[in-house]
Amino acid sequence: VQLQASGGGLVQAGGSLRLSCLASGGTFGSYVMGWFRQAPGKERESVAYISWSGRSTNYADSVKGRFTISRDNAKNTVYLQMNSLKPEDTAVYYCAADKSWVPVIWGSWGQGTQVTVSS
């Protein structure tokens, strides 16, 4: 499956952004979808992931209560709604897909979208 992430940008602290990731070339509902981020000089980290139907979700402690992952299987799209953004949320955000729940290595990755939060 091919993934195309979008929606990043520059926002002030306390603001909101919604990221989107459009999938193509596969049966979207057969994939677990995840969002990851990588800040300069840091390792890539998991932000959130969502099950095939959207019934189950999981979040990093650092974003719980502020970010919401969702999916629309009819539109082949996964979203990441980010509220109450902080400067430490600044990173390149990537979407990923895999057929397994919480795989050790995710099978497909998007190209990344930059999120910059100014203080």
Side-chain angles (χ1 to χ4, degrees), residues 15-16 24 32 35 38-39 44 46-47 53 67 72 104-105 107-108:
S16 298
S24 61
V32 173
W35 284 99
Q38 187 167 20
R44 187 176 298 186
S46 174
V47 175
S53 66
F67 290 12
D72 186 336
V104 174
I105 300 175
S108 300

Side-chain angles (χ1 to χ4, degrees), residues 35-37 44-49 58-60 62-63 106:
W35 284 99
F36 293 75
R37 67 186 181 186
R44 187 176 298 186
E45 63 174 351
S46 174
V47 175
Y49 48 89
N58 187 276
Y59 297 90
S62 59
V63 306
W106 289 70

Side-chain angles (χ1 to χ4, degrees), residues 9-89:
L10 174 64
V11 63
Q12 289 188 332
S16 298
L17 281 175
R18 188 176 81 155
L19 306 183
S20 300
C21 177
L22 176 64
S24 61
T27 302
F28 184 66
S30 67
Y31 290 92
V32 173
M33 300 299 298
W35 284 99
F36 293 75
R37 67 186 181 186
Q38 187 167 20
K42 295 187 176 182
E43 293 187 355
R44 187 176 298 186
E45 63 174 351
S46 174
V47 175
Y49 48 89
I50 188 167
S51 64
W52 306 264
S53 66
R55 186 172 300 175
S56 297
T57 58
N58 187 276
Y59 297 90
D61 288 342
S62 59
V63 306
K64 279 181 182 177
R66 301 188 298 121
F67 290 12
T68 302
I69 188 171
S70 62
R71 67 190 294 162
D72 186 336
N73 285 356
K75 294 183 178 179
N76 291 353
T77 302
V78 62
Y79 305 97
L80 185 68
Q81 178 67 44
M82 305 185 294
N83 299 329
S84 302
L85 282 160
K86 304 174 181 180
E88 51 263 44
D89 294 319

